[in-house]
Amino acid sequence: MHVGRHDERTTSSVGSFIANLPEMLGAMVVDPRCLVAVIEFEDVRYVQYWVEPHGAVIAEVISNLNIGDAVALSPEDEEKLRTAGWSEPSPGPRPNWRFEADDAAGLMKIVSMSRDAVYDVLRERDTNTVSVRIWEGRSIAGPGDERRG
């Protein structure tokens, strides 16, 4: 895992990202810093992760909020996320589909849910290119506190 600046990108394939997601999130959880990872696909849709020093993890999938007239997800895509257990986006501090975890079982659920979102909702293929950015963020008081930097 390479922690750089928020604008420093590394490139990989979707298949490699998914295969290494458990290791990446595991490394982020044991790191004493607050870390942010944004994984952006060629069509500019994304998944992202916020990991607090105390181990809480917030996973997010892009939504249709805050993107103007663009459509990132169809109603069918949104239903798949809803059925899988992602929390609905809302205007304000939680504009993306979201899932929070604070233990090993929850972390493994995030890995599984992320994999399904990438392949079944965003319809990415293993050979597609993905951009990965990981940087140090500012810690928040807890997973429900929205004062992130």
Side-chain angles (χ1 to χ4, degrees):
M1 171 182 74
H2 172 72
V3 178
R5 297 181 320 268
H6 76 281
D7 61 348
E8 187 177 338
R9 300 172 187 272
T10 57
T11 303
S12 184
S13 69
V14 169
S16 179
F17 159 66
I18 293 296
N20 291 301
L21 183 58
E23 182 179 355
M24 181 189 88
L25 289 176
M28 289 174 73
V29 165
V30 298
D31 194 292
R33 300 171 288 182
C34 173
L35 296 175
V36 179
V38 176
I39 293 66
E40 189 173 311
F41 304 100
E42 291 174 320
D43 63 4
V44 301
R45 295 188 295 175
Y46 59 86
V47 295
Q48 59 189 17
Y49 307 92
W50 180 278
V51 181
E52 284 292 313
H54 57 14
V57 180
I58 300 169
E60 294 184 334
V61 177
I62 190 172
S63 79
N64 292 329
L65 292 177
N66 299 330
I67 59 172
D69 293 333
V71 176
L73 302 171
S74 71
E76 294 81 14
D77 296 332
E78 292 177 326
E79 184 57 32
K80 286 179 185 177
L81 291 171
R82 190 176 296 109
T83 300
W86 293 92
S87 296
E88 301 242 2
S90 61
R94 295 183 178 192
N96 293 312
W97 290 89
R98 173 186 186 101
F99 186 82
E100 297 180 25
D102 60 5
D103 61 16
L107 186 62
M108 293 315 299
K109 186 166 174 85
I110 284 176
V111 169
S112 175
M113 290 171 70
S114 295
R115 180 191 64 237
D116 292 347
V118 167
Y119 289 128
D120 299 337
V121 175
L122 302 178
R123 290 175 290 291
E124 291 294 327
R125 296 177 187 243
D126 282 337
T127 56
N128 290 359
T129 302
V130 65
S131 165
V132 178
R133 296 181 291 145
I134 303 174
W135 70 92
E136 185 173 358
R138 287 195 326 245
S139 184
I140 56 178
D145 186 341
E146 294 303 325
R147 293 172 292 156
R148 299 188 281 195

